[in-house]
Amino acid sequence: MTLNIPNKLNLNIIIILLFISRTSQSLHPKPPPIPILPIPKSRQISWQIAEMALFLHFGTNTFTNTEWGTGHVDPSIFNPSSLNATQWVKVAKDSGFKRVILTAKHHDGFCLWPSQYTDYSVKSSPWKSGSGDVVAELAKAARNAGLELGLYLSPWDRHESCYGETLEYNEYYMGQMTELLTRYGEIKYIFLDGAKGDGEKDMKYFFDDWFSLIHQLQPGAAIFSDAGPDTRWVGDEAGVAGTTCWSLFNCSAVKIGGDNDLRYSREGDPFGHDWVPAECDVSIRPGWFWHTSEKPKSALTLLDLYYKSVGRNCLLLLNVPPNSSGLISDEDIQVLKEFSELRDSIFSHNIAKSALLSASSTRGGPNNSQFGPQNVIEEGLYTYWAPDQGQSDWELYLDFRQVITFNVLELQEPIQMGQRIIEFHLDILDENGKWQQVVSGTTVGYRRLLVFPTVKSHLLRLVIDKSRVCPLISHLGIYMDSYSVSRHVSDTHTKSKFINSLVFRRTAYNRSQSASI
C-alpha cells in the first residue's frame, strides 16, 4: 500500500530533517585536526611570536675599535661615561622589538657583570668605581618596560687561563652561566656558538650539559646555536633566510661550530624530526661592535631584511651596538624610527578585512564557523581555516566587490598544529575574467611575506598546491607597500633541492591519507 503524502507535507518534513541535522552538527562540533609532528614547545612559540630581537654587542671592544678582543686589554679601558640601559630598552620598544639580548661576555672574556669566578670584569674597571653591573641594569630596565631579556655568554674565552683544559673550563663556564641564570630574574633567551681559537681544536664544549643546566634554571629560555636545541642559525650573518624555510630540522645532522651544510641550515628539512626554527642575525652597521667610522644601514634596507627574515618564517636578530658613551647613537635611533614607521605604514591596514571570504570547503561543513574562512582575518594562532577532510582542492577566495591595488601577501599557519604547507600560489581575476597567477611560494610557517609588482583586481584566489597533510591557515593579509617594491626581488620561488626530490614516502604525507587527519 502506497501513502500519498501531500507535497506541502513532504517539504515540511524535509525542512524539519535539515533543521535536526544542522542542530545535531552544532551540538556536536567537529573536533580540530590532529597536529602533525614535530610541533613547537611553548618557549619556541614565545620566541617566534616576538618576531624581532635587538642584539647589544658591548664591551671592551667598544673602546678599542676592534671586533675580537685579545683578552689582555686592561679593564680600565671600560669606562662608559653615560651608560643608560633604560635608553637601550626604550629604543628597542619604540622600534617594535620585544626582546633585548646582551653580550654578557664576548670572546675576550671580559664580563659585564661582577662574576665571582674572575676579576676580568666590570668590578676591575673605573666605571661606577668597580661597583657596576651592566647585566643587572639591563635586566631591570627590560623588566620595567615589559621586554624580554636574553644573554650571550661566549664559550670561547681568550683571557681565562684554564681555557683549553676541557673539564676545568666547562666547570668554569657552567659556574658563570649559573650566575647569569640565577641573579637577574627571568631569562627568555640564551645565544650560544661554537667559537674556538685556532690552536684550541681539542677543546671540547659540553653542550648537552649546558643545555640541561639552562633548561633546569630557566625553563622558559629558548637556546640558540647552529643545531638548536630550540632555535638554529640560518647559516649567514646577512639576515637573510632561504625562500624555502622549514622549522623542521634534524639536530643530529649539524655540529655546533662545525663545517655544516649551510643550505641545510638555511632551508631546514621537510622530513626533519625536530622543531628548530631559524634565526637571522645581522648588524645595523658593518661591524658587530660600535665603531665611530661606520654608519648604519638605511631603513629601506632593514625593511628588505624584514621581508627576508621575519617574512620567511624566522626571527630577525638585529644588532644595534651601544657607543663608547654607553648609549645607542642618534643616527641608529633615527634609522630604527624610520624602519618602524615603514612597517606601521604598510602593515597597519590589512585590505583583506574588507573582503567577502569563502573557501573550497570547510571542516565540518560550510556553516561551521569554528574552522570557517573568516578566521583568516583574525589575529593570532589559535583560530584558523581548515578545509574539509577528504577534499583535494584547497582554495580561499577573497571578493572585494571593488578593485583593490596591492603588492604584498601575508600568510600564517597555526604552528602549534605543525608546519604543513609545501607550495602555494595567489591568483587574481583579470579584466577578461581569467585567473592569472601573481606570485607563488613554498613554505609558510609562522609568517610568510611575499612582495611582487603591484596588481589590481576585485577577486583573489589563494591556492594551496601541496601540503604535508590537510593545510591550515591562521591569518591572511593583503597590503600595499609603496616604498620597497621597486627594489625588492620577488619571492616567486625556485624549487629547492628538497622540493625537487620530494617524494611522499610516508603514509602520513600522502594527500589521500589526509582525509583521516
Side-chain angles (χ1 to χ4, degrees), residues 284-286 294-298 331-332 335:
I284 196 171
R285 292 166 173 254
E294 295 181 351
K295 301 299 179 184
K297 296 175 172 64
S298 70
E331 53 194 351
D332 294 12
V335 168

Side-chain angles (χ1 to χ4, degrees), residues 328-340:
I328 294 177
S329 300
D330 289 341
E331 53 194 351
D332 294 12
I333 294 174
Q334 180 60 33
V335 168
L336 291 171
K337 181 175 182 293
E338 293 170 2
F339 175 42
S340 177

Side-chain angles (χ1 to χ4, degrees), residues 323-350:
N323 59 33
S324 56
S325 296
L327 299 171
I328 294 177
S329 300
D330 289 341
E331 53 194 351
D332 294 12
I333 294 174
Q334 180 60 33
V335 168
L336 291 171
K337 181 175 182 293
E338 293 170 2
F339 175 42
S340 177
E341 290 171 349
L342 286 173
R343 298 195 321 274
D344 288 345
S345 175
I346 296 165
F347 299 110
S348 61
H349 176 55
N350 183 3

Side-chain angles (χ1 to χ4, degrees), residues 357 368-378 385:
L357 289 149
N368 187 354
S369 61
Q370 181 184 4
F371 302 112
Q374 72 281 353
N375 288 334
V376 301
I377 58 172
E378 301 295 329
W385 166 66

